Amino acid sequence: MAAITTVDPQAVKATTFDVLRQQLPTVETVEGFLSAHQMAVSQMAIEYCSALVENNGMTTRDVYFPGFFQPGQPPESADIAFNTAGKRNMIILPLMNNVMNTNLTDQPATADVTAELDNLITRLTACATGPSPTCATAQRTEEVVKAACAATLGSAAMLIQ
């Protein structure tokens, strides 16, 4: 996950990793993969994606998602940050290129994964235009990016590889 996100493993809390390592498979075979293993992978994905997105004082986030986050500036509110396909692609395409760009013969179709990530972003930003705009904040923007990242990084596309 460190290689995929470009996040230094030291940025992920050692205690979190130590706890989750106990839930990871001991042998690298798909036959021995259990639901507890998937939960650990999901939690690790969340930790790495959080470290990536919260890295606003450095260049990691800005390099990974070029043009989406403005260096030195707080993120735009969620209703503005995701209001066009071009802005959404600034999040979706880097995730697709880094997680799924392996040219495997058996992996999810890129169009399907892209559509699902777009749907996820739509659902997570819907409250920005509803009767209660409380989630139309810069913090919500970061939460949506973390969710899209974790959904991709913790997916079977990354695991099976």
Side-chain angles (χ1 to χ4, degrees):
M1 289 186 185
I4 292 171
T5 61
T6 69
V7 169
D8 182 348
Q10 300 302 317
V12 177
K13 298 177 184 125
T15 55
T16 302
F17 179 75
D18 289 341
V19 169
L20 295 177
R21 181 175 37 192
Q22 297 171 15
Q23 296 175 353
L24 294 171
T26 55
V27 181
E28 293 182 29
T29 64
V30 74
E31 292 86 12
F33 196 78
L34 305 171
S35 59
H37 301 146
Q38 180 58 50
M39 291 306 299
V41 169
S42 296
Q43 289 173 320
M44 285 299 292
I46 291 167
E47 289 292 327
Y48 271 94
C49 289
S50 291
L52 173 63
V53 173
E54 291 172 3
N55 189 350
N56 57 6
M58 305 215 173
T59 60
T60 305
R61 172 177 86 173
D62 301 327
V63 170
Y64 201 88
F65 302 111
F68 187 80
F69 294 101
Q70 299 304 314
Q73 300 292 318
E76 296 176 303
S77 63
D79 56 338
I80 296 170
F82 298 104
N83 67 357
T84 67
K87 288 185 176 184
R88 288 171 183 236
N89 283 338
M90 290 178 174
I91 299 302
I92 294 171
L93 294 179
L95 292 171
M96 297 299 296
N97 290 336
N98 287 293
V99 176
M100 297 191 58
N101 192 18
T102 59
N103 298 318
L104 296 175
T105 56
D106 191 16
Q107 69 179 8
T110 301
D112 292 343
V113 177
T114 300
E116 286 301 322
L117 288 174
D118 189 62
N119 290 338
L120 175 64
I121 291 170
T122 298
R123 285 190 302 274
L124 294 175
T125 58
C127 57
T129 57
S132 176
T134 57
C135 68
T137 64
Q139 179 182 350
R140 183 63 175 183
T141 300
E142 289 185 347
E143 292 168 352
V144 171
V145 174
K146 289 177 191 178
C149 176
T152 310
L153 186 60
S155 71
M158 187 281 300
L159 292 175
I160 302 301
Q161 297 175 36

mmCIF file with all atom_site columns, all heavy atoms in Angstrom, residues 77-80 82 88 119-137 139-141 143-144:
data_model
loop_
_atom_site.group_PDB
_atom_site.id
_atom_site.type_symbol
_atom_site.label_atom_id
_atom_site.label_alt_id
_atom_site.label_comp_id
_atom_site.label_asym_id
_atom_site.label_entity_id
_atom_site.label_seq_id
_atom_site.pdbx_PDB_ins_code
_atom_site.Cartn_x
_atom_site.Cartn_y
_atom_site.Cartn_z
_atom_site.occupancy
_atom_site.B_iso_or_equiv
_atom_site.pdbx_formal_charge
_atom_site.auth_seq_id
_atom_site.auth_comp_id
_atom_site.auth_asym_id
_atom_site.auth_atom_id
_atom_site.pdbx_PDB_model_num
ATOM 1   N N   . SER A 1 77  ? -14.961 23.467 -0.803  1.00 0.00 ? 77  SER A N   1
ATOM 2   C CA  . SER A 1 77  ? -16.055 22.710 -0.204  1.00 0.00 ? 77  SER A CA  1
ATOM 3   C C   . SER A 1 77  ? -16.478 21.598 -1.150  1.00 0.00 ? 77  SER A C   1
ATOM 4   O O   . SER A 1 77  ? -16.265 21.676 -2.361  1.00 0.00 ? 77  SER A O   1
ATOM 5   C CB  . SER A 1 77  ? -17.230 23.626 0.116   1.00 0.00 ? 77  SER A CB  1
ATOM 6   O OG  . SER A 1 77  ? -17.740 24.190 -1.066  1.00 0.00 ? 77  SER A OG  1
ATOM 7   N N   . ALA A 1 78  ? -17.067 20.544 -0.598  1.00 0.00 ? 78  ALA A N   1
ATOM 8   C CA  . ALA A 1 78  ? -17.403 19.353 -1.386  1.00 0.00 ? 78  ALA A CA  1
ATOM 9   C C   . ALA A 1 78  ? -18.324 19.673 -2.551  1.00 0.00 ? 78  ALA A C   1
ATOM 10  O O   . ALA A 1 78  ? -18.206 19.091 -3.624  1.00 0.00 ? 78  ALA A O   1
ATOM 11  C CB  . ALA A 1 78  ? -18.033 18.296 -0.480  1.00 0.00 ? 78  ALA A CB  1
ATOM 12  N N   . ASP A 1 79  ? -19.257 20.613 -2.368  1.00 0.00 ? 79  ASP A N   1
ATOM 13  C CA  . ASP A 1 79  ? -20.186 20.926 -3.446  1.00 0.00 ? 79  ASP A CA  1
ATOM 14  C C   . ASP A 1 79  ? -19.484 21.593 -4.625  1.00 0.00 ? 79  ASP A C   1
ATOM 15  O O   . ASP A 1 79  ? -19.912 21.456 -5.763  1.00 0.00 ? 79  ASP A O   1
ATOM 16  C CB  . ASP A 1 79  ? -21.360 21.765 -2.948  1.00 0.00 ? 79  ASP A CB  1
ATOM 17  C CG  . ASP A 1 79  ? -20.937 23.046 -2.260  1.00 0.00 ? 79  ASP A CG  1
ATOM 18  O OD1 . ASP A 1 79  ? -19.792 23.138 -1.796  1.00 0.00 ? 79  ASP A OD1 1
ATOM 19  O OD2 . ASP A 1 79  ? -21.778 23.956 -2.165  1.00 0.00 ? 79  ASP A OD2 1
ATOM 20  N N   . ILE A 1 80  ? -18.382 22.266 -4.389  1.00 0.00 ? 80  ILE A N   1
ATOM 21  C CA  . ILE A 1 80  ? -17.621 22.905 -5.466  1.00 0.00 ? 80  ILE A CA  1
ATOM 22  C C   . ILE A 1 80  ? -16.547 21.958 -5.999  1.00 0.00 ? 80  ILE A C   1
ATOM 23  O O   . ILE A 1 80  ? -16.350 21.842 -7.204  1.00 0.00 ? 80  ILE A O   1
ATOM 24  C CB  . ILE A 1 80  ? -16.979 24.218 -4.968  1.00 0.00 ? 80  ILE A CB  1
ATOM 25  C CG1 . ILE A 1 80  ? -18.075 25.213 -4.597  1.00 0.00 ? 80  ILE A CG1 1
ATOM 26  C CG2 . ILE A 1 80  ? -16.028 24.797 -6.006  1.00 0.00 ? 80  ILE A CG2 1
ATOM 27  C CD1 . ILE A 1 80  ? -17.577 26.444 -3.888  1.00 0.00 ? 80  ILE A CD1 1
ATOM 28  N N   . PHE A 1 82  ? -16.344 18.797 -6.357  1.00 0.00 ? 82  PHE A N   1
ATOM 29  C CA  . PHE A 1 82  ? -16.745 17.643 -7.165  1.00 0.00 ? 82  PHE A CA  1
ATOM 30  C C   . PHE A 1 82  ? -17.861 17.966 -8.148  1.00 0.00 ? 82  PHE A C   1
ATOM 31  O O   . PHE A 1 82  ? -18.560 17.078 -8.601  1.00 0.00 ? 82  PHE A O   1
ATOM 32  C CB  . PHE A 1 82  ? -17.191 16.496 -6.251  1.00 0.00 ? 82  PHE A CB  1
ATOM 33  C CG  . PHE A 1 82  ? -16.113 16.007 -5.342  1.00 0.00 ? 82  PHE A CG  1
ATOM 34  C CD1 . PHE A 1 82  ? -16.114 16.340 -4.004  1.00 0.00 ? 82  PHE A CD1 1
ATOM 35  C CD2 . PHE A 1 82  ? -15.083 15.213 -5.828  1.00 0.00 ? 82  PHE A CD2 1
ATOM 36  C CE1 . PHE A 1 82  ? -15.119 15.885 -3.153  1.00 0.00 ? 82  PHE A CE1 1
ATOM 37  C CE2 . PHE A 1 82  ? -14.080 14.755 -4.987  1.00 0.00 ? 82  PHE A CE2 1
ATOM 38  C CZ  . PHE A 1 82  ? -14.098 15.091 -3.647  1.00 0.00 ? 82  PHE A CZ  1
ATOM 39  N N   . ARG A 1 88  ? -13.809 15.483 -10.730 1.00 0.00 ? 88  ARG A N   1
ATOM 40  C CA  . ARG A 1 88  ? -13.909 14.122 -10.183 1.00 0.00 ? 88  ARG A CA  1
ATOM 41  C C   . ARG A 1 88  ? -12.792 13.256 -10.770 1.00 0.00 ? 88  ARG A C   1
ATOM 42  O O   . ARG A 1 88  ? -12.220 12.427 -10.070 1.00 0.00 ? 88  ARG A O   1
ATOM 43  C CB  . ARG A 1 88  ? -15.268 13.513 -10.509 1.00 0.00 ? 88  ARG A CB  1
ATOM 44  C CG  . ARG A 1 88  ? -16.381 14.122 -9.709  1.00 0.00 ? 88  ARG A CG  1
ATOM 45  C CD  . ARG A 1 88  ? -17.725 13.648 -10.214 1.00 0.00 ? 88  ARG A CD  1
ATOM 46  N NE  . ARG A 1 88  ? -18.782 14.297 -9.476  1.00 0.00 ? 88  ARG A NE  1
ATOM 47  C CZ  . ARG A 1 88  ? -19.723 13.649 -8.826  1.00 0.00 ? 88  ARG A CZ  1
ATOM 48  N NH1 . ARG A 1 88  ? -19.795 12.341 -8.857  1.00 0.00 ? 88  ARG A NH1 1
ATOM 49  N NH2 . ARG A 1 88  ? -20.642 14.308 -8.151  1.00 0.00 ? 88  ARG A NH2 1
ATOM 50  N N   . ASN A 1 119 ? -20.080 7.102  -8.772  1.00 0.00 ? 119 ASN A N   1
ATOM 51  C CA  . ASN A 1 119 ? -21.320 6.938  -8.002  1.00 0.00 ? 119 ASN A CA  1
ATOM 52  C C   . ASN A 1 119 ? -21.076 7.143  -6.514  1.00 0.00 ? 119 ASN A C   1
ATOM 53  O O   . ASN A 1 119 ? -21.897 7.757  -5.823  1.00 0.00 ? 119 ASN A O   1
ATOM 54  C CB  . ASN A 1 119 ? -21.925 5.547  -8.237  1.00 0.00 ? 119 ASN A CB  1
ATOM 55  C CG  . ASN A 1 119 ? -22.480 5.388  -9.627  1.00 0.00 ? 119 ASN A CG  1
ATOM 56  O OD1 . ASN A 1 119 ? -22.805 6.362  -10.299 1.00 0.00 ? 119 ASN A OD1 1
ATOM 57  N ND2 . ASN A 1 119 ? -22.578 4.152  -10.085 1.00 0.00 ? 119 ASN A ND2 1
ATOM 58  N N   . LEU A 1 120 ? -19.957 6.638  -6.017  1.00 0.00 ? 120 LEU A N   1
ATOM 59  C CA  . LEU A 1 120 ? -19.621 6.832  -4.603  1.00 0.00 ? 120 LEU A CA  1
ATOM 60  C C   . LEU A 1 120 ? -19.467 8.318  -4.286  1.00 0.00 ? 120 LEU A C   1
ATOM 61  O O   . LEU A 1 120 ? -20.018 8.815  -3.301  1.00 0.00 ? 120 LEU A O   1
ATOM 62  C CB  . LEU A 1 120 ? -18.335 6.077  -4.261  1.00 0.00 ? 120 LEU A CB  1
ATOM 63  C CG  . LEU A 1 120 ? -17.796 6.273  -2.843  1.00 0.00 ? 120 LEU A CG  1
ATOM 64  C CD1 . LEU A 1 120 ? -18.762 5.732  -1.801  1.00 0.00 ? 120 LEU A CD1 1
ATOM 65  C CD2 . LEU A 1 120 ? -16.421 5.621  -2.705  1.00 0.00 ? 120 LEU A CD2 1
ATOM 66  N N   . ILE A 1 121 ? -18.742 9.023  -5.125  1.00 0.00 ? 121 ILE A N   1
ATOM 67  C CA  . ILE A 1 121 ? -18.565 10.464 -4.919  1.00 0.00 ? 121 ILE A CA  1
ATOM 68  C C   . ILE A 1 121 ? -19.916 11.177 -4.967  1.00 0.00 ? 121 ILE A C   1
ATOM 69  O O   . ILE A 1 121 ? -20.186 12.061 -4.154  1.00 0.00 ? 121 ILE A O   1
ATOM 70  C CB  . ILE A 1 121 ? -17.575 11.042 -5.952  1.00 0.00 ? 121 ILE A CB  1
ATOM 71  C CG1 . ILE A 1 121 ? -16.164 10.520 -5.672  1.00 0.00 ? 121 ILE A CG1 1
ATOM 72  C CG2 . ILE A 1 121 ? -17.598 12.570 -5.952  1.00 0.00 ? 121 ILE A CG2 1
ATOM 73  C CD1 . ILE A 1 121 ? -15.147 10.824 -6.749  1.00 0.00 ? 121 ILE A CD1 1
ATOM 74  N N   . THR A 1 122 ? -20.767 10.791 -5.882  1.00 0.00 ? 122 THR A N   1
ATOM 75  C CA  . THR A 1 122 ? -22.102 11.401 -5.980  1.00 0.00 ? 122 THR A CA  1
ATOM 76  C C   . THR A 1 122 ? -22.885 11.186 -4.691  1.00 0.00 ? 122 THR A C   1
ATOM 77  O O   . THR A 1 122 ? -23.488 12.125 -4.159  1.00 0.00 ? 122 THR A O   1
ATOM 78  C CB  . THR A 1 122 ? -22.877 10.816 -7.176  1.00 0.00 ? 122 THR A CB  1
ATOM 79  O OG1 . THR A 1 122 ? -22.163 11.132 -8.374  1.00 0.00 ? 122 THR A OG1 1
ATOM 80  C CG2 . THR A 1 122 ? -24.289 11.371 -7.253  1.00 0.00 ? 122 THR A CG2 1
ATOM 81  N N   . ARG A 1 123 ? -22.878 9.965  -4.187  1.00 0.00 ? 123 ARG A N   1
ATOM 82  C CA  . ARG A 1 123 ? -23.618 9.681  -2.944  1.00 0.00 ? 123 ARG A CA  1
ATOM 83  C C   . ARG A 1 123 ? -23.036 10.442 -1.762  1.00 0.00 ? 123 ARG A C   1
ATOM 84  O O   . ARG A 1 123 ? -23.776 10.941 -0.912  1.00 0.00 ? 123 ARG A O   1
ATOM 85  C CB  . ARG A 1 123 ? -23.606 8.177  -2.654  1.00 0.00 ? 123 ARG A CB  1
ATOM 86  C CG  . ARG A 1 123 ? -24.534 7.387  -3.554  1.00 0.00 ? 123 ARG A CG  1
ATOM 87  C CD  . ARG A 1 123 ? -24.696 5.945  -3.112  1.00 0.00 ? 123 ARG A CD  1
ATOM 88  N NE  . ARG A 1 123 ? -23.464 5.195  -3.044  1.00 0.00 ? 123 ARG A NE  1
ATOM 89  C CZ  . ARG A 1 123 ? -22.893 4.551  -4.060  1.00 0.00 ? 123 ARG A CZ  1
ATOM 90  N NH1 . ARG A 1 123 ? -23.464 4.558  -5.255  1.00 0.00 ? 123 ARG A NH1 1
ATOM 91  N NH2 . ARG A 1 123 ? -21.769 3.884  -3.900  1.00 0.00 ? 123 ARG A NH2 1
ATOM 92  N N   . LEU A 1 124 ? -21.719 10.526 -1.687  1.00 0.00 ? 124 LEU A N   1
ATOM 93  C CA  . LEU A 1 124 ? -21.089 11.178 -0.542  1.00 0.00 ? 124 LEU A CA  1
ATOM 94  C C   . LEU A 1 124 ? -21.187 12.699 -0.580  1.00 0.00 ? 124 LEU A C   1
ATOM 95  O O   . LEU A 1 124 ? -21.016 13.352 0.443   1.00 0.00 ? 124 LEU A O   1
ATOM 96  C CB  . LEU A 1 124 ? -19.628 10.745 -0.428  1.00 0.00 ? 124 LEU A CB  1
ATOM 97  C CG  . LEU A 1 124 ? -19.411 9.278  -0.089  1.00 0.00 ? 124 LEU A CG  1
ATOM 98  C CD1 . LEU A 1 124 ? -17.923 8.945  -0.122  1.00 0.00 ? 124 LEU A CD1 1
ATOM 99  C CD2 . LEU A 1 124 ? -20.013 8.931  1.270   1.00 0.00 ? 124 LEU A CD2 1
ATOM 100 N N   . THR A 1 125 ? -21.446 13.254 -1.744  1.00 0.00 ? 125 THR A N   1
ATOM 101 C CA  . THR A 1 125 ? -21.572 14.717 -1.850  1.00 0.00 ? 125 THR A CA  1
ATOM 102 C C   . THR A 1 125 ? -23.020 15.156 -2.028  1.00 0.00 ? 125 THR A C   1
ATOM 103 O O   . THR A 1 125 ? -23.289 16.349 -2.138  1.00 0.00 ? 125 THR A O   1
ATOM 104 C CB  . THR A 1 125 ? -20.722 15.266 -3.012  1.00 0.00 ? 125 THR A CB  1
ATOM 105 O OG1 . THR A 1 125 ? -21.123 14.642 -4.229  1.00 0.00 ? 125 THR A OG1 1
ATOM 106 C CG2 . THR A 1 125 ? -19.249 15.037 -2.765  1.00 0.00 ? 125 THR A CG2 1
ATOM 107 N N   . ALA A 1 126 ? -23.964 14.235 -2.045  1.00 0.00 ? 126 ALA A N   1
ATOM 108 C CA  . ALA A 1 126 ? -25.371 14.590 -2.245  1.00 0.00 ? 126 ALA A CA  1
ATOM 109 C C   . ALA A 1 126 ? -25.884 15.503 -1.134  1.00 0.00 ? 126 ALA A C   1
ATOM 110 O O   . ALA A 1 126 ? -26.719 16.361 -1.374  1.00 0.00 ? 126 ALA A O   1
ATOM 111 C CB  . ALA A 1 126 ? -26.229 13.336 -2.329  1.00 0.00 ? 126 ALA A CB  1
ATOM 112 N N   . CYS A 1 127 ? -25.390 15.329 0.067   1.00 0.00 ? 127 CYS A N   1
ATOM 113 C CA  . CYS A 1 127 ? -25.865 16.158 1.170   1.00 0.00 ? 127 CYS A CA  1
ATOM 114 C C   . CYS A 1 127 ? -25.465 17.616 0.990   1.00 0.00 ? 127 CYS A C   1
ATOM 115 O O   . CYS A 1 127 ? -26.048 18.504 1.601   1.00 0.00 ? 127 CYS A O   1
ATOM 116 C CB  . CYS A 1 127 ? -25.360 15.628 2.498   1.00 0.00 ? 127 CYS A CB  1
ATOM 117 S SG  . CYS A 1 127 ? -23.571 15.512 2.592   1.00 0.00 ? 127 CYS A SG  1
ATOM 118 N N   . ALA A 1 128 ? -24.489 17.888 0.132   1.00 0.00 ? 128 ALA A N   1
ATOM 119 C CA  . ALA A 1 128 ? -24.054 19.260 -0.099  1.00 0.00 ? 128 ALA A CA  1
ATOM 120 C C   . ALA A 1 128 ? -25.123 20.079 -0.815  1.00 0.00 ? 128 ALA A C   1
ATOM 121 O O   . ALA A 1 128 ? -25.148 21.295 -0.713  1.00 0.00 ? 128 ALA A O   1
ATOM 122 C CB  . ALA A 1 128 ? -22.770 19.271 -0.912  1.00 0.00 ? 128 ALA A CB  1
ATOM 123 N N   . THR A 1 129 ? -26.025 19.418 -1.523  1.00 0.00 ? 129 THR A N   1
ATOM 124 C CA  . THR A 1 129 ? -27.055 20.145 -2.253  1.00 0.00 ? 129 THR A CA  1
ATOM 125 C C   . THR A 1 129 ? -28.442 19.919 -1.658  1.00 0.00 ? 129 THR A C   1
ATOM 126 O O   . THR A 1 129 ? -29.413 20.430 -2.158  1.00 0.00 ? 129 THR A O   1
ATOM 127 C CB  . THR A 1 129 ? -27.079 19.706 -3.728  1.00 0.00 ? 129 THR A CB  1
ATOM 128 O OG1 . THR A 1 129 ? -27.299 18.292 -3.775  1.00 0.00 ? 129 THR A OG1 1
ATOM 129 C CG2 . THR A 1 129 ? -25.775 20.052 -4.410  1.00 0.00 ? 129 THR A CG2 1
ATOM 130 N N   . GLY A 1 130 ? -28.512 19.137 -0.611  1.00 0.00 ? 130 GLY A N   1
ATOM 131 C CA  . GLY A 1 130 ? -29.800 18.844 0.024   1.00 0.00 ? 130 GLY A CA  1
ATOM 132 C C   . GLY A 1 130 ? -30.219 19.941 0.978   1.00 0.00 ? 130 GLY A C   1
ATOM 133 O O   . GLY A 1 130 ? -29.618 21.017 1.023   1.00 0.00 ? 130 GLY A O   1
ATOM 134 N N   . PRO A 1 131 ? -31.243 19.687 1.781   1.00 0.00 ? 131 PRO A N   1
ATOM 135 C CA  . PRO A 1 131 ? -31.765 20.702 2.685   1.00 0.00 ? 131 PRO A CA  1
ATOM 136 C C   . PRO A 1 131 ? -30.786 21.105 3.780   1.00 0.00 ? 131 PRO A C   1
ATOM 137 O O   . PRO A 1 131 ? -30.864 22.191 4.306   1.00 0.00 ? 131 PRO A O   1
ATOM 138 C CB  . PRO A 1 131 ? -33.011 20.043 3.278   1.00 0.00 ? 131 PRO A CB  1
ATOM 139 C CG  . PRO A 1 131 ? -32.872 18.583 3.015   1.00 0.00 ? 131 PRO A CG  1
ATOM 140 C CD  . PRO A 1 131 ? -31.974 18.438 1.837   1.00 0.00 ? 131 PRO A CD  1
ATOM 141 N N   . SER A 1 132 ? -29.842 20.237 4.126   1.00 0.00 ? 132 SER A N   1
ATOM 142 C CA  . SER A 1 132 ? -28.875 20.547 5.169   1.00 0.00 ? 132 SER A CA  1
ATOM 143 C C   . SER A 1 132 ? -27.473 20.541 4.591   1.00 0.00 ? 132 SER A C   1
ATOM 144 O O   . SER A 1 132 ? -26.863 19.482 4.421   1.00 0.00 ? 132 SER A O   1
ATOM 145 C CB  . SER A 1 132 ? -28.979 19.517 6.298   1.00 0.00 ? 132 SER A CB  1
ATOM 146 O OG  . SER A 1 132 ? -27.978 19.763 7.255   1.00 0.00 ? 132 SER A OG  1
ATOM 147 N N   . PRO A 1 133 ? -26.923 21.699 4.250   1.00 0.00 ? 133 PRO A N   1
ATOM 148 C CA  . PRO A 1 133 ? -25.616 21.752 3.592   1.00 0.00 ? 133 PRO A CA  1
ATOM 149 C C   . PRO A 1 133 ? -24.440 21.623 4.561   1.00 0.00 ? 133 PRO A C   1
ATOM 150 O O   . PRO A 1 133 ? -23.377 22.138 4.314   1.00 0.00 ? 133 PRO A O   1
ATOM 151 C CB  . PRO A 1 133 ? -25.631 23.116 2.913   1.00 0.00 ? 133 PRO A CB  1
ATOM 152 C CG  . PRO A 1 133 ? -26.489 23.949 3.793   1.00 0.00 ? 133 PRO A CG  1
ATOM 153 C CD  . PRO A 1 133 ? -27.539 23.006 4.347   1.00 0.00 ? 133 PRO A CD  1
ATOM 154 N N   . THR A 1 134 ? -24.650 20.941 5.701   1.00 0.00 ? 134 THR A N   1
ATOM 155 C CA  . THR A 1 134 ? -23.594 20.858 6.702   1.00 0.00 ? 134 THR A CA  1
ATOM 156 C C   . THR A 1 134 ? -22.352 20.118 6.226   1.00 0.00 ? 134 THR A C   1
ATOM 157 O O   . THR A 1 134 ? -21.293 20.262 6.798   1.00 0.00 ? 134 THR A O   1
ATOM 158 C CB  . THR A 1 134 ? -24.112 20.178 7.982   1.00 0.00 ? 134 THR A CB  1
ATOM 159 O OG1 . THR A 1 134 ? -24.609 18.889 7.636   1.00 0.00 ? 134 THR A OG1 1
ATOM 160 C CG2 . THR A 1 134 ? -25.196 21.003 8.639   1.00 0.00 ? 134 THR A CG2 1
ATOM 161 N N   . CYS A 1 135 ? -22.488 19.302 5.199   1.00 0.00 ? 135 CYS A N   1
ATOM 162 C CA  . CYS A 1 135 ? -21.297 18.581 4.746   1.00 0.00 ? 135 CYS A CA  1
ATOM 163 C C   . CYS A 1 135 ? -20.660 19.258 3.531   1.00 0.00 ? 135 CYS A C   1
ATOM 164 O O   . CYS A 1 135 ? -19.760 18.697 2.928   1.00 0.00 ? 135 CYS A O   1
ATOM 165 C CB  . CYS A 1 135 ? -21.619 17.123 4.466   1.00 0.00 ? 135 CYS A CB  1
ATOM 166 S SG  . CYS A 1 135 ? -22.690 16.874 3.077   1.00 0.00 ? 135 CYS A SG  1
ATOM 167 N N   . ALA A 1 136 ? -21.086 20.439 3.182   1.00 0.00 ? 136 ALA A N   1
ATOM 168 C CA  . ALA A 1 136 ? -20.479 21.176 2.072   1.00 0.00 ? 136 ALA A CA  1
ATOM 169 C C   . ALA A 1 136 ? -19.278 21.955 2.601   1.00 0.00 ? 136 ALA A C   1
ATOM 170 O O   . ALA A 1 136 ? -19.225 23.176 2.537   1.00 0.00 ? 136 ALA A O   1
ATOM 171 C CB  . ALA A 1 136 ? -21.497 22.106 1.428   1.00 0.00 ? 136 ALA A CB  1
ATOM 172 N N   . THR A 1 137 ? -18.310 21.206 3.133   1.00 0.00 ? 137 THR A N   1
ATOM 173 C CA  . THR A 1 137 ? -17.150 21.829 3.755   1.00 0.00 ? 137 THR A CA  1
ATOM 174 C C   . THR A 1 137 ? -15.871 21.283 3.139   1.00 0.00 ? 137 THR A C   1
ATOM 175 O O   . THR A 1 137 ? -15.877 20.260 2.459   1.00 0.00 ? 137 THR A O   1
ATOM 176 C CB  . THR A 1 137 ? -17.130 21.536 5.270   1.00 0.00 ? 137 THR A CB  1
ATOM 177 O OG1 . THR A 1 137 ? -16.975 20.117 5.443   1.00 0.00 ? 137 THR A OG1 1
ATOM 178 C CG2 . THR A 1 137 ? -18.396 22.022 5.951   1.00 0.00 ? 137 THR A CG2 1
ATOM 179 N N   . GLN A 1 139 ? -13.537 19.974 4.900   1.00 0.00 ? 139 GLN A N   1
ATOM 180 C CA  . GLN A 1 139 ? -13.292 18.702 5.585   1.00 0.00 ? 139 GLN A CA  1
ATOM 181 C C   . GLN A 1 139 ? -14.032 17.564 4.877   1.00 0.00 ? 139 GLN A C   1
ATOM 182 O O   . GLN A 1 139 ? -13.502 16.478 4.718   1.00 0.00 ? 139 GLN A O   1
ATOM 183 C CB  . GLN A 1 139 ? -13.732 18.776 7.043   1.00 0.00 ? 139 GLN A CB  1
ATOM 184 C CG  . GLN A 1 139 ? -13.524 17.477 7.793   1.00 0.00 ? 139 GLN A CG  1
ATOM 185 C CD  . GLN A 1 139 ? -13.999 17.541 9.223   1.00 0.00 ? 139 GLN A CD  1
ATOM 186 O OE1 . GLN A 1 139 ? -14.329 18.589 9.744   1.00 0.00 ? 139 GLN A OE1 1
ATOM 187 N NE2 . GLN A 1 139 ? -14.029 16.395 9.869   1.00 0.00 ? 139 GLN A NE2 1
ATOM 188 N N   . ARG A 1 140 ? -15.248 17.831 4.428   1.00 0.00 ? 140 ARG A N   1
ATOM 189 C CA  . ARG A 1 140 ? -16.020 16.806 3.721   1.00 0.00 ? 140 ARG A CA  1
ATOM 190 C C   . ARG A 1 140 ? -15.324 16.438 2.414   1.00 0.00 ? 140 ARG A C   1
ATOM 191 O O   . ARG A 1 140 ? -15.325 15.277 2.013   1.00 0.00 ? 140 ARG A O   1
ATOM 192 C CB  . ARG A 1 140 ? -17.446 17.311 3.454   1.00 0.00 ? 140 ARG A CB  1
ATOM 193 C CG  . ARG A 1 140 ? -18.332 16.291 2.797   1.00 0.00 ? 140 ARG A CG  1
ATOM 194 C CD  . ARG A 1 140 ? -18.542 15.097 3.677   1.00 0.00 ? 140 ARG A CD  1
ATOM 195 N NE  . ARG A 1 140 ? -19.486 14.172 3.087   1.00 0.00 ? 140 ARG A NE  1
ATOM 196 C CZ  . ARG A 1 140 ? -19.904 13.077 3.661   1.00 0.00 ? 140 ARG A CZ  1
ATOM 197 N NH1 . ARG A 1 140 ? -19.473 12.759 4.852   1.00 0.00 ? 140 ARG A NH1 1
ATOM 198 N NH2 . ARG A 1 140 ? -20.755 12.292 3.062   1.00 0.00 ? 140 ARG A NH2 1
ATOM 199 N N   . THR A 1 141 ? -14.723 17.394 1.759   1.00 0.00 ? 141 THR A N   1
ATOM 200 C CA  . THR A 1 141 ? -13.990 17.111 0.524   1.00 0.00 ? 141 THR A CA  1
ATOM 201 C C   . THR A 1 141 ? -12.886 16.095 0.799   1.00 0.00 ? 141 THR A C   1
ATOM 202 O O   . THR A 1 141 ? -12.734 15.122 0.067   1.00 0.00 ? 141 THR A O   1
ATOM 203 C CB  . THR A 1 141 ? -13.407 18.408 -0.065  1.00 0.00 ? 141 THR A CB  1
ATOM 204 O OG1 . THR A 1 141 ? -14.482 19.299 -0.348  1.00 0.00 ? 141 THR A OG1 1
ATOM 205 C CG2 . THR A 1 141 ? -12.603 18.144 -1.322  1.00 0.00 ? 141 THR A CG2 1
ATOM 206 N N   . GLU A 1 143 ? -12.770 13.979 3.244   1.00 0.00 ? 143 GLU A N   1
ATOM 207 C CA  . GLU A 1 143 ? -13.406 12.697 3.596   1.00 0.00 ? 143 GLU A CA  1
ATOM 208 C C   . GLU A 1 143 ? -13.840 11.927 2.349   1.00 0.00 ? 143 GLU A C   1
ATOM 209 O O   . GLU A 1 143 ? -13.691 10.707 2.279   1.00 0.00 ? 143 GLU A O   1
ATOM 210 C CB  . GLU A 1 143 ? -14.600 12.933 4.513   1.00 0.00 ? 143 GLU A CB  1
ATOM 211 C CG  . GLU A 1 143 ? -14.212 13.430 5.894   1.00 0.00 ? 143 GLU A CG  1
ATOM 212 C CD  . GLU A 1 143 ? -15.388 13.946 6.701   1.00 0.00 ? 143 GLU A CD  1
ATOM 213 O OE1 . GLU A 1 143 ? -16.517 14.063 6.154   1.00 0.00 ? 143 GLU A OE1 1
ATOM 214 O OE2 . GLU A 1 143 ? -15.189 14.245 7.897   1.00 0.00 ? 143 GLU A OE2 1
ATOM 215 N N   . VAL A 1 144 ? -14.358 12.627 1.361   1.00 0.00 ? 144 VAL A N   1
ATOM 216 C CA  . VAL A 1 144 ? -14.794 11.987 0.118   1.00 0.00 ? 144 VAL A CA  1
ATOM 217 C C   . VAL A 1 144 ? -13.591 11.421 -0.639  1.00 0.00 ? 144 VAL A C   1
ATOM 218 O O   . VAL A 1 144 ? -13.641 10.296 -1.151  1.00 0.00 ? 144 VAL A O   1
ATOM 219 C CB  . VAL A 1 144 ? -15.602 12.970 -0.758  1.00 0.00 ? 144 VAL A CB  1
ATOM 220 C CG1 . VAL A 1 144 ? -15.872 12.394 -2.137  1.00 0.00 ? 144 VAL A CG1 1
ATOM 221 C CG2 . VAL A 1 144 ? -16.902 13.352 -0.065  1.00 0.00 ? 144 VAL A CG2 1
#
